[in-house]
Amino acid sequence: MGHTHRLELADSTLREWDATVLASDPEDGIVLDRSAFYPGGGGQPPDHGVLLWGGVQTRIVDVRRGDDPRLVAAEGDPLPPVGTSVRGAVEDDRRTALMRTHSGLHLLSGVVFRDFGAVVTGSNMDPLTGRLDFNLTEVPPGFKETVESACNQEVIADRAIEAYELSREEAFAIPDVIRTATNLLPPEIEIVRIVDISGLDVQADGGTHVASTRQIGPMRVLKVENKGKGFRRIRISLED
């Protein structure tokens, strides 16, 4: 267990907060006692932002995962000393775009699993664009248009998206809670964070998400690619 209180896991809308520096090193990064910087994971890239302290601004250009999120300052920016009180701020446009994209990929996963019975074998995302790979042997005529239409119907349905924690035993009692071909959840994880798109998709996930499918916005299926026997890649984008 780390020393940083992960604020973004409880409130993904939080963009500014006060904190104290616990560690500060040019190589190992900056550790805060309280942080809303998402360190990346589950395909979602890390946040960017700033730390404000003593009239100084330190730009945060990366966040490394570990027991504690370690903030990487822009080259040449000053590092706040240990014990310094800072004001943290996450870059809103980037985080919001990544939240929409991550939720959009969960929606896509739910639609393809529901309508075609396929699970995810890989993923990647950038702000407002992403892709999922599925163990899908065949695609029927009009598959691309059918998936896009179904996704946008779910956006319009305005389904609630909720994150909560369960014990490992409770989580694995949920049917299909691991919606990937390989269970990537380490065996030592005893508390599992769940992201639930009401009535559509329930998955173990550690990322940040919007509060409802309507907040994802209109989705486009850009292309469906054949990635080898039994595998299809679906690329999506969201309207800015």
Side-chain angles (χ1 to χ4, degrees), residues 1 67 167-168 172 183-192:
M1 297 295 291
D67 288 343
S167 69
R168 188 181 185 92
F172 277 85
N183 179 4
L184 302 177
L185 197 65
E188 66 271 15
I189 299 296
E190 297 179 358
I191 301 297
V192 180

Side-chain angles (χ1 to χ4, degrees), residues 97-116:
L98 287 169
M99 287 168 58
R100 290 175 55 203
T101 307
H102 200 164
S103 296
L105 290 174
H106 275 240
L107 187 153
L108 172 65
S109 170
V111 164
V112 173
F113 183 78
R114 179 194 66 192
D115 297 347
F116 299 94

